């Protein structure tokens, strides 16, 4: 790092910490990760029917004594036969009779280390640097005094499962909210009754907002001091339309996106992350094909066009009403977002259809989430500022995932947390 850049960073930190000094009297902090942001484990039962001999005999390569193995993330996914095994075992199924989602037959899953940040640090403990996720942020929190299991807690979850609108069951997602609520209460009790700081990334912000709005104002005021949302896709993302249409390798090399497309379509949370018609401009054409165009108001027609008609009913009945529940919880919220990173805004498909990757027209955002979505709360709650403290911090050139790693972002996140711990809303620039 150049000397002048180092001096500038030190000065910036000093100014922020002067305005918002750190303290040993910390409010407990709970991290809610984003989609794919924590490890998942699985176990095969006698009813499991493998899709290939490879899946039956060779995958996974390592199992625990009781049969559990790490389902997400396993680096062997870069090998095509193993990619298919992973997709098969990650698949969800919507049961219309139960009106809920469930695992593939013969697959049991669990989330390890709930309450700890352990499964958030990296997705493969054997490849810590390559699969690093929350490690830099957790290390930064530890430097100001946070201790895992005492004042710092993690809330990993099965990110394939979402929530549903009122009147529809959501067994896995609802249990996570209950577990998160109990963790918040436990963290507060362990720290002398201090209310907690919720720190979310990406999809975790949608879950955290739902938790707040599904509990009473008196509970929120007692147990939640502040909610800090990083890169939250409040109104969904155009990139999810690409994922459902053509598959998305998520940056993993050598993977054929078509091999994971069906599994990605089965994810309940991917329906939740489709562009929200209350956020995206109704005139904006998000997907263009030779025969039709699709806006955020035409998602059901889009799902049918890409050959995913089975997703239309759960989207319309369970997810679409849920998208309207961006309700101000009357808890102080700080949104920290990236901007100025080219982000998919329009997808243009040619005559070869959705089995090919589209031409992409880019707009502003954090590289994953569009700016309209990142700023949705500011727009929707513009008239509720009296009862809903809301602050938005935009970091130019910081992407959706690098917000957890880049020094400029980590410094600002820590400064905001320090401000909350001193009973102030930060005014630092």
């Amino acid at each position: 790092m150049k000397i002048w850049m180092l001096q500038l960073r030190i000065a910036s930190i000093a100014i922020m910490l002067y305005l918002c000094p750190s303290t040993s009297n910390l409010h407990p902090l709970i991290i809610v990760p984003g989609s794919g942001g924590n490890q998942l484990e699985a176990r095969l039962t006698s009813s499991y029917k493998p899709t290939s001999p490879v899946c039956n005999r060779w995958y996974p390569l390592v199992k625990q004594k009781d049969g559990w193995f790490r389902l997400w993330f396993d680096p062997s996914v870069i090998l095509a036969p193993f990619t298919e095994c992973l997709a098969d075992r990650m698949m969800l199924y919507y049961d219309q009779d139960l009106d809920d989602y469930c695992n593939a037959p013969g697959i049991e899953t669990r989330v390890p280390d709930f309450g700890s940040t352990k499964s958030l640090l990296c997705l493969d403990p054997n490849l810590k640097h390559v699969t690093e996720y929350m490690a830099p942020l957790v290390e930064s929190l530890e430097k100001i005094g946070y201790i895992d299991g005492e004042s710092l807690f993690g809330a990993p979850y099965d990110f394939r499962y979402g929530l549903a609108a009122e009147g529809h069951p959501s067994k896995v997602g609802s249990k996570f909210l209950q577990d998160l609520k109990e963790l918040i209460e436990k963290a507060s009790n362990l720290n002398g009754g201090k209310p907690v700081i919720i720190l979310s990334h990406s999809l975790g912000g949608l879950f955290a907002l739902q938790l707040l709005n599904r509990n009473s104002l008196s509970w929120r005021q007692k147990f939640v001091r502040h909610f800090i949302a990083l890169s939250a896709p409040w109104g969904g993302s155009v990139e999810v339309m690409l994922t459902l249409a053509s598959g998305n390798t998520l940056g993993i090399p050598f993977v054929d996106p078509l091999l994971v497309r069906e599994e990605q379509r089965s994810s309940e949370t991917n329906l939740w992350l489709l562009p929200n018609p209350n956020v995206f401009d109704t005139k904006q054409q998000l997907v263009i094909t030779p025969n039709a165009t699709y806006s955020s108001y035409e998602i059901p027609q889009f799902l049918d066009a890409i050959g995913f008609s089975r997703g239309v009913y759960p989207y319309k009945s369970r997810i679409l009403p849920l998208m309207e529940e961006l309700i101000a919880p009357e808890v102080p919220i700080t949104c920290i977002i990236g901007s100025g990173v080219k982000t998919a805004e329009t997808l243009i498909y040619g005559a070869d259809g959705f089995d090919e990757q589209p031409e992409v027209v880019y707009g502003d955002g954090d590289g994953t989430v569009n700016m309209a979505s990142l700023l949705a709360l500011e727009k929707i709650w513009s008239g509720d500022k009296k009862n809903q403290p809301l602050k938005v911090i935009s970091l130019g050139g910081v992407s959706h995932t690098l917000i957890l790693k880049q020094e400029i972002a980590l410094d600002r996140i820590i400064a905001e947390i320090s401000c909350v711990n001193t009973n102030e809303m930060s005014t630092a620039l």
Side-chain angles (χ1 to χ4, degrees):
M1 181 181 290
K2 294 181 179 179
I3 296 298
W4 69 268
M5 293 178 65
L6 180 60
Q7 292 173 334
L8 180 62
R9 181 169 181 245
I10 292 173
S12 175
I13 295 171
I15 291 171
M16 288 190 287
L17 293 181
Y18 173 77
L19 291 171
C20 306
S22 60
T23 173
S24 59
N25 194 27
L26 299 171
H27 285 269
L29 189 145
I30 295 176
I31 299 177
V32 186
S35 180
N38 57 259
Q39 299 171 31
L40 292 179
E41 294 181 345
R43 182 167 63 181
L44 309 179
T45 71
S46 58
S47 58
Y48 172 68
K49 292 181 173 53
T51 54
S52 73
V54 171
C55 297
N56 187 40
R57 185 169 183 176
W58 298 107
Y59 185 86
L61 300 176
V62 179
K63 291 184 182 179
Q64 300 175 28
K65 291 182 179 179
D66 55 2
W68 290 98
F69 59 92
R70 190 173 60 257
L71 178 65
W72 181 262
F73 171 73
D74 185 342
S76 64
V77 69
I78 64 174
L79 302 175
F82 292 160
T83 304
E84 295 182 58
C85 298
L86 174 69
D88 181 56
R89 294 173 184 184
M90 289 279 286
M91 193 86 70
L92 293 186
Y93 292 86
Y94 174 66
D95 187 323
Q96 193 159 341
D97 293 332
L98 297 176
D99 187 23
D100 205 353
Y101 283 79
C102 60
N103 282 341
I107 306 291
E108 294 180 355
T109 52
R110 69 181 184 185
V111 178
D113 301 307
F114 184 82
S116 169
T117 61
K118 183 178 179 181
S119 75
L120 317 181
L121 301 179
C122 60
L123 301 182
D124 183 349
N126 299 315
L127 294 170
K128 291 182 179 180
H129 181 69
V130 177
T131 65
E132 184 179 74
Y133 178 57
M134 284 282 184
L137 176 58
V138 169
E139 289 169 5
S140 295
L141 291 168
E142 290 173 341
K143 287 178 181 178
I144 63 171
Y146 278 101
I147 300 173
D148 188 48
E150 296 182 16
S151 54
L152 178 63
F153 306 87
Y157 57 100
D158 192 331
F159 44 81
R160 301 171 301 160
Y161 289 90
L163 296 169
E166 185 177 358
H168 297 271
S170 183
K171 182 179 178 181
V172 175
S174 296
K175 183 180 185 304
F176 168 64
L177 287 194
Q178 181 60 35
D179 291 343
L180 179 57
K181 179 182 179 181
E182 293 174 2
L183 180 61
I184 288 171
E185 294 171 354
K186 174 185 175 181
S188 176
N189 292 333
L190 286 174
N191 288 270
K194 297 186 189 71
V196 310
I197 300 169
I198 300 174
L199 177 64
S200 69
H201 178 239
S202 193
L203 174 65
L206 300 188
F207 277 99
L209 182 60
Q210 285 290 322
L211 171 76
L212 295 175
N213 284 327
R214 295 186 184 201
N215 286 281
S216 67
L217 179 59
S218 60
W219 183 89
R220 301 194 298 263
Q221 292 175 335
K222 179 179 180 180
F223 288 107
V224 180
R225 174 67 185 152
H226 205 102
F227 173 24
I228 299 176
L230 311 177
S231 308
W234 304 117
S237 170
V238 173
E239 184 172 283
V240 177
M241 298 182 80
L242 185 154
T243 298
L244 298 183
S246 308
N248 191 334
T249 65
L250 305 175
I252 302 172
F254 312 118
V255 173
D256 181 351
L258 296 182
L259 291 180
V260 295
R261 181 172 63 180
E262 287 304 310
E263 179 272 320
Q264 291 171 333
R265 288 178 175 180
S266 79
S267 170
E268 184 179 16
T269 47
N270 276 340
L271 288 180
W272 195 9
L273 290 171
L274 283 165
N276 188 325
N278 298 305
V279 171
F280 282 78
D281 188 337
T282 59
K283 297 179 181 179
Q284 182 181 355
Q285 301 304 313
L286 306 179
V287 175
I288 299 173
T289 75
N291 301 316
T293 60
Y294 304 94
S295 69
S296 60
Y297 277 77
E298 296 159 323
I299 296 296
Q301 295 92 320
F302 166 75
L303 295 176
D304 189 59
I306 64 175
F308 185 39
S309 57
R310 67 182 183 279
V312 173
Y313 178 77
Y315 171 79
K316 293 174 70 174
S317 64
R318 296 166 56 87
I319 304 300
L320 193 55
L322 187 68
M323 288 180 169
E324 299 175 355
E325 298 178 12
L326 294 174
I327 302 167
E330 299 183 36
V331 167
I333 297 177
T334 298
C335 298
I336 304 180
I337 65 173
S339 63
V341 182
K342 66 177 187 177
T343 305
E345 194 166 89
T346 303
L347 311 175
I348 304 174
Y349 284 92
D352 292 332
F354 298 107
D355 286 348
E356 300 294 330
Q357 293 293 306
E359 176 187 346
V360 179
V361 177
Y362 294 97
D364 196 5
D366 67 6
T368 299
V369 182
N370 308 89
M371 191 55 63
S373 179
L374 293 167
L375 298 177
L377 298 190
E378 190 174 52
K379 177 182 178 181
I380 293 172
W381 297 347
S382 59
D384 297 327
K385 291 183 178 179
K386 183 177 180 181
N387 296 323
Q388 178 53 64
L390 175 66
K391 178 181 179 182
V392 178
I393 299 169
S394 179
L395 303 175
V398 175
S399 74
H400 190 75
T401 53
L402 289 183
I403 199 169
L404 302 173
K405 300 179 182 181
Q406 284 186 341
E407 290 179 346
I408 186 174
L410 292 174
D411 290 346
R412 194 56 197 262
I413 294 166
I414 296 303
E416 291 301 312
I417 292 169
S418 296
C419 290
V420 175
N421 279 314
T422 56
N423 199 30
E424 298 177 27
M425 285 285 284
S426 169
T427 57
L429 297 176

